[in-house]
Every structure is written in C-alpha cells, then in structure tokens.
Amino acid sequence: MKLGVVMDPIESINFKKDSTLAMMLEAQAREHQLFYMTPNSLYLNENGANALANTITVKNDPMGWFEFNEEKQIRLSELDAILMRQDPPFNSNFIYNTYVLESAEREGVLVINKPASLRDCNEKVFATEFPECCTPFLVSSEASLLKSFIEDHKDTVIKPLDGMGGSSIFRLRNTDPNLNVILETITDSFITKVMIQTYIPEITDGDKRILLVNGIPMKAAVARVPAEGELRGNLAAGASAVARSLTEKDLWICEQVGPKLKELGLVLVGVDIIGDYLTEINVTSPTCFREYESLCDINVAISFLDAIEDLQKNG
C-alpha cells in the first residue's frame, strides 16, 4: 500500500512511547510505502484533497528514528489509506483537517479513524451512549445542576470535555471550600459544558486502557496507576503503567461498545475503565502500543496493520 500518516512533528515524539512510530515500523516491515504529513500540510483546492508530503524511512533507533526521502505535493487520492494520528487538542484546526480527509475519503481513500466519527465522538461524551457501563454522570454548564449533583453524590470528579493527559481534572466533594471557584473556573463562569462523574475509589488500582482494533479488544489491559497523592491515572501526569488481565466486566463493557465502534469506522480505539466503569472512549490518537508490547507481550501494531490491510482489500 501507499500509506499516508498524518501526525504531529515526528522529530518531537517520545521515541520510547510513541504508538504512531510503532505503527509505521510495522507498516514498513510489510513493505508499505510511507508518506508523512503534518496536520498543517493538508489542504483543499479545486482538484480535491492534497498535502505536502514526505516519503519517509523509519528506524527503531533512539538516536535517529526517521529519514526524509523526498518532499512533494500529492493528491491524497494517490494513497491507498491514511492514518489520522494528529494529537488533541480537538479544536477548530483538528476539525478542519477532518474536512480535508473526508474529501479524500469521498475520492476512495480509506481513512482511519473515519473523519466524520472523529468529529462526532467526543471522547468524554461518547461514553455516555453506553450509560449501562458508566458510573452516574452529568454533562452540563448549569451551576444549580452541577451543585445538586455534587450534593447528591458527595464525592465527584469533574473535567473539561476537550482535555487530554489529565489536564484540569478535579476531585470535588460537597464539603470542599473551593467548590464554587473550581466550578466557575472549569466552566468559564458557567458557560462551557463539563462532565462530572461520581468518584470511583478503584482509581488507586489504576485507570485501565484497553485497546480495541475493529471492535475487538486486546487480550490484556495497561493500567495507569496514579502517583502517590495523585488523582489522575494518566501517564502524562506521572502515573506508572502495569499489565492487567481483563475481568469479566471489562470484557462485557467491550462487548457493549465494540459493535458501535465498528459501525462508525473507528478502527483503533482506547477505552478507559476504572473499577467496573467505563469512563472515556479515546478515538483521536489512542496510545499505549509500546506499553502493551513491553508489559503484556502484545504487539498491537500487528493486529492494527492486519485490520487496515483487510479493510483496504475488502472495504
């Protein structure tokens, strides 16, 4: 295949942790030709969807993991498949890039994950489509509703709908003297909607990330265990990664979510589970390939490339 990869600057990645590099190494090992594109290189004109792209060679070498071969303008329709791996924030520029990729999709290119679904499936709100899997929650910006939720449930976690890496997540109890100022700040004075959920004590055992490829979960989870004194189970916030076996409840949650992911063209997804509850469904650029390989002895890139090749051949 001619495989395009839209990603943030490759020179800035964390070599040891980057999942996109793991995908590219596997694709190259299968002799697919790689075309590297940064998010701002995508553009539309009267001829359709285009990009300034570099053909690229990747290497599993921490001293130098890529080499550009040639930069040229290409029609995206020249490619067989494109991986959309632009990291959040999910902002206007991200949305504009999905428009370009959707144009390429109309021209017959397989785009993973599906651009329309990337726009539609907010990583926090999407989980609420499966309320049977979730702890009690509220998505709102209304002060009275938020305060009532906190009063009813006593111990809660509140977070922005567009955050990543554990940023701006607060644990709020009904007795917290800073409750009002936290609510004002996180909602931009009660204008911007946020998600609030009941606090799940099992966070101390880790926030489990389960990667699903084409709706099928990997056979283990990577749990992000918060650092001492921390609430957030995010590697970016200092959590440590450990392997976990899948519980019956984990598998049940994946069974509820998996068919919808496949229906929406969300080929690679990371579901986050704390205790027995689904908390988020990550669709933009799910990570933990390296952690799965080092901790669980599971090479997710193999399953992912198998799925891409099958979809490209069979639709």
Side-chain angles (χ1 to χ4, degrees):
M1 286 189 295
K2 290 184 176 180
L3 181 63
V5 182
V6 179
M7 63 184 293
D8 296 295
I10 192 168
E11 62 270 19
S12 302
I13 66 171
N14 183 329
F15 171 81
K16 292 182 178 179
K17 293 181 175 292
D18 196 81
S19 295
T20 307
L21 179 60
M23 298 172 188
M24 296 169 78
L25 287 165
E26 177 63 25
Q28 183 175 270
R30 298 179 184 216
E31 299 186 347
H32 298 310
Q33 187 178 8
L34 295 172
F35 291 78
Y36 162 82
M37 299 169 282
T38 58
N40 64 356
S41 75
L42 303 178
Y43 67 96
L44 283 171
N45 64 17
E46 66 278 7
N47 295 317
N50 305 270
L52 294 172
N54 280 98
T55 53
I56 189 172
T57 301
V58 289
K59 295 177 281 187
N60 196 18
D61 181 355
M63 301 306 294
W65 52 86
F66 71 96
E67 183 179 323
F68 292 135
N69 301 320
E70 179 187 8
E71 183 180 63
K72 58 181 179 179
Q73 297 183 33
I74 63 167
R75 292 278 305 275
L76 294 186
S77 59
E78 298 173 28
L79 303 175
D80 297 300
I82 298 172
L83 309 183
M84 175 48 158
R85 294 290 299 173
Q86 180 180 349
D87 285 336
F90 184 84
N91 55 19
S92 296
N93 288 327
F94 192 106
I95 291 171
Y96 300 152
N97 279 333
T98 67
Y99 295 151
V100 180
L101 293 173
E102 202 165 30
S103 177
E105 193 177 50
R106 288 193 295 269
E107 296 179 62
V109 184
L110 173 67
V111 182
I112 297 171
N113 283 322
K114 189 174 180 65
S117 296
L118 288 175
R119 290 198 301 273
D120 291 346
C121 299
N122 175 276
E123 301 188 328
K124 275 62 170 188
V125 179
F126 188 25
T128 69
E129 292 193 24
F130 308 92
E132 70 278 11
C133 301
C134 300
T135 188
F137 63 84
L138 172 70
V139 177
S140 177
S141 59
E142 170 57 45
S144 62
L145 294 175
L146 293 169
K147 290 177 182 179
S148 177
F149 185 94
I150 296 167
E151 187 59 39
D152 289 345
H153 295 282
K154 311 303 181 189
D155 199 353
T156 66
V157 172
I158 192 167
K159 52 191 172 183
L161 296 180
D162 60 353
M164 63 169 289
S167 62
S168 300
I169 293 178
F170 294 91
R171 182 178 179 183
L172 269 181
R173 297 177 177 87
N174 62 322
T175 56
D176 195 320
N178 296 308
L179 188 149
N180 285 325
V181 69
I182 290 172
L183 290 179
E184 287 173 9
T185 301
I186 199 169
T187 63
D188 191 22
S189 297
F190 304 105
I191 293 172
T192 302
K193 284 181 171 57
V194 295
M195 172 173 274
I196 189 166
Q197 301 162 302
T198 56
Y199 174 72
I200 305 170
E202 289 85 353
I203 183 60
T204 56
D205 296 326
D207 183 347
K208 289 174 284 187
R209 164 64 56 86
I210 304 173
L211 289 176
L212 292 88
V213 174
N214 229 11
I216 305 299
M218 298 297 102
K219 297 185 182 298
V222 172
R224 289 78 53 87
V225 180
E228 186 175 352
E230 254 289 357
L231 161 71
R232 299 168 295 175
N234 302 86
L235 298 179
S240 56
V242 297
R244 290 274 192 266
S245 299
L246 299 185
T247 66
E248 287 187 13
K249 194 60 178 285
D250 293 337
L251 291 168
W252 179 82
I253 290 172
C254 292
E255 287 172 2
Q256 310 315 301
V257 174
K260 186 69 171 180
L261 303 179
K262 194 169 182 179
E263 174 191 331
L264 293 173
L266 293 167
V267 177
L268 177 65
V269 167
V271 300
D272 290 347
I273 297 174
I274 300 174
D276 288 336
Y277 298 103
L278 173 68
T279 59
E280 292 186 18
I281 302 176
N282 296 271
V283 304
T284 49
S285 56
T287 60
C288 287
F289 277 47
R290 298 290 202 175
E291 289 81 3
Y292 259 97
E293 188 166 10
S294 62
L295 298 172
C296 309
D297 197 27
I298 294 173
N299 190 327
V300 183
I302 291 175
S303 298
F304 184 49
L305 265 295
D306 285 347
I308 294 170
E309 290 172 352
D310 183 62
L311 287 166
Q312 205 278 323
K313 289 175 185 174
N314 303 313

